[in-house]
Amino acid sequence: MAEHKRKKNSQNIKHTKQKKIRSNTKKLYTVSIALPGSIIDNAQSIELKTYLAGQLARSFAIFNVDEIVIFNELGMQKSSQSQIDSHTKNKREEGISSDPNVFLARILQYLETPQYLRKELFPVHQDLTYAGLLNPLDCPHHVRKEEKSPFREGVIINKKSGGETSLVNAGLSKHVIIDKSIKPGVRVTLDMGNYETSKNDNQYIEAKVISPKVPKQHGLYWGYNIRIADSISKVFTECSYPDGYDVAIGTSERGKVVDDIIDDLPEFNHLLIVFGGLGGIEAAIDVDEDLKCSGEEADALFDLWVNTCPNQGSRTIRTEEAVLITMSALRVAINIKGRKEN
């Protein structure tokens, strides 16, 4: 019994030290992953398509990915970012999205959203019919009702609070009040302060609206953003960051073995890792009219052209498998070379 208590105390001390280290180190870098939505079409049914998207979402969360870029590798139809949110809450759409990019984006967005916000943020849609099959991400921003957290996600509700204030559903037993007037239905990130010490007779819990970047700077993984690109070239040209991606990695079985170039990864602020579909990145480049190079010259677009699974025992590696393999191989290097502030 005494030995069990010592082990438990040792684990608690270790956990406390880890929390302090994480909270004192500000993460300044981001990791983005780009992949084609066409991989969803490889699944034969909506159940399998849904589960495949869920597998990808789990991988992104496990490896703290900040941005997912879904690109069209077919060079035909154009996908619109607004398609994901174009349906009203009172209308059920018939049939799943014909565009695999939109389908994948919707499932990823649904899973990233805390459970207590989904009813208000997601209209009924056929793409989400089998959402019950999905394994939860259980990220730090998916805070439980009674869990104490310095930050929370919430959604502005359509209820008057008086003056220049708004009420927020943050998954707590009481609504949260903020000192800004924001239209209902908008998702916000909240700094909860020391809300746990609030008096029980307070009608609302007071909090402040902050940037979603703030929790990440304090060492907490706070989910991912999703962007749809109409081609692989627009993954780069429509970058969400003003200065673009300063390091881009392309994955290919024709690339250099990852073990040989892991030390070549330079320090970075914004890292992009690109995966191809059935035909690889080369196929997406061949159909992109905005690129002058051919698929055979694909490595010229990237700072590093990497084979993360040399001597593979299967003729093919599926994209969802490639994501796990690549992120595992690069995890330590990313953590070392990503810029941080102590």
Side-chain angles (χ1 to χ4, degrees):
M1 181 67 72
E3 184 179 351
H4 175 71
K5 285 184 178 179
R6 281 197 300 271
K7 285 184 178 179
K8 189 173 181 181
N9 290 336
S10 176
Q11 289 173 350
N12 290 338
I13 292 170
K14 185 178 179 182
H15 180 66
T16 303
K17 286 181 178 178
Q18 288 175 340
K19 284 184 72 177
K20 286 181 179 179
I21 291 171
R22 291 187 68 184
S23 61
N24 290 335
T25 303
K26 286 191 175 183
K27 176 188 170 186
L28 303 179
Y29 69 91
T30 65
V31 177
S32 300
I33 283 181
L35 75 173
S38 61
I39 62 173
I40 289 296
D41 285 339
N42 297 333
Q44 290 77 25
S45 65
I46 183 174
E47 294 95 328
L48 292 175
K49 292 176 191 288
T50 301
Y51 194 77
L52 172 57
Q55 282 183 297
L56 287 166
R58 287 279 303 167
S59 300
F60 301 147
I62 287 169
F63 290 101
N64 299 345
V65 177
D66 300 287
E67 181 191 36
I68 316 300
V69 187
I70 303 167
F71 63 88
N72 178 13
E73 70 166 354
L74 303 178
M76 295 184 293
Q77 75 231 30
K78 292 186 179 293
S79 306
S80 171
Q81 183 77 33
S82 61
Q83 281 182 266
I84 306 172
D85 305 310
S86 62
H87 309 288
T88 61
K89 291 184 179 180
N90 299 320
K91 180 181 178 182
R92 185 179 181 88
E93 291 292 315
E94 296 299 327
I96 68 168
S97 298
S98 59
D99 186 343
N101 304 305
V102 174
F103 180 90
L104 176 57
R106 183 176 282 113
I107 297 294
L108 293 180
Q109 191 178 59
Y110 177 85
L111 274 174
E112 189 277 338
T113 304
Q115 290 89 328
Y116 57 86
L117 299 182
R118 290 173 183 169
K119 187 175 180 180
E120 296 187 57
L121 292 177
F122 285 87
V124 176
H125 195 278
Q126 282 293 93
D127 287 357
L128 300 173
T129 300
Y130 293 99
L133 295 174
L134 297 166
N135 294 314
L137 301 190
D138 203 20
C139 297
H141 67 294
H142 291 200
V143 188
R144 292 162 179 78
K145 186 174 182 180
E146 301 303 327
E147 186 180 351
K148 294 179 181 179
S149 173
F151 310 106
R152 273 184 178 263
E153 290 293 291
V155 62
I156 307 297
I157 61 173
N158 192 12
K159 186 177 179 181
K160 293 182 178 179
S161 54
E164 289 296 309
T165 60
S166 301
L167 291 180
V168 184
N169 170 19
L172 295 165
S173 55
K174 299 178 182 179
H175 289 316
V176 171
I177 189 167
I178 58 173
D179 59 356
K180 290 184 178 180
S181 180
I182 303 175
K183 66 179 182 179
V186 175
R187 178 173 162 177
V188 293
T189 303
L190 303 170
D191 184 341
M192 300 302 298
N194 58 348
Y195 73 94
E196 66 273 12
T197 61
S198 298
K199 295 180 180 178
N200 293 331
D201 57 357
N202 286 351
Q203 186 178 4
Y204 304 122
I205 298 169
E206 294 184 3
K208 294 180 180 180
V209 176
I210 57 173
S211 166
K213 296 178 182 178
V214 174
K216 292 183 180 183
Q217 291 173 351
H218 284 77
L220 292 171
Y221 177 61
W222 212 249
Y224 50 74
N225 296 318
I226 301 167
R227 176 166 67 89
I228 293 181
D230 290 330
S231 64
I232 192 169
S233 62
K234 291 187 177 179
V235 171
F236 298 90
T237 60
E238 297 178 356
C239 177
S240 306
Y241 307 109
D243 297 327
Y245 304 108
D246 42 3
V247 178
I249 298 176
T251 58
S252 171
E253 62 181 7
R254 287 167 284 280
K256 294 182 179 179
V257 176
V258 66
D259 301 331
D260 297 336
I261 64 170
I262 201 74
D263 293 332
D264 296 339
L265 180 65
E267 285 195 359
F268 64 87
N269 290 313
H270 304 297
L271 173 67
L272 173 68
I273 305 171
V274 182
F275 297 88
L278 280 176
I281 295 174
E282 296 89 343
I285 291 174
D286 278 333
V287 299
D288 193 328
E289 297 176 355
D290 294 328
L291 291 175
K292 295 179 180 179
C293 62
S294 66
E296 294 179 353
E297 305 166 299
D299 60 318
L301 291 178
F302 301 94
D303 299 292
L304 296 175
W305 186 240
V306 183
N307 178 2
T308 55
C309 190
N311 305 318
Q312 62 196 57
S314 173
R315 291 187 182 90
T316 57
I317 294 179
R318 298 172 64 89
T319 303
E320 64 272 22
E321 296 166 343
V323 170
L324 281 171
I325 294 168
T326 301
M327 297 308 293
S328 297
L330 296 175
R331 182 185 63 85
V332 174
I334 289 173
N335 187 50
I336 293 172
K337 298 298 180 71
R339 290 200 175 98
K340 294 177 284 290
E341 180 182 296
N342 294 321

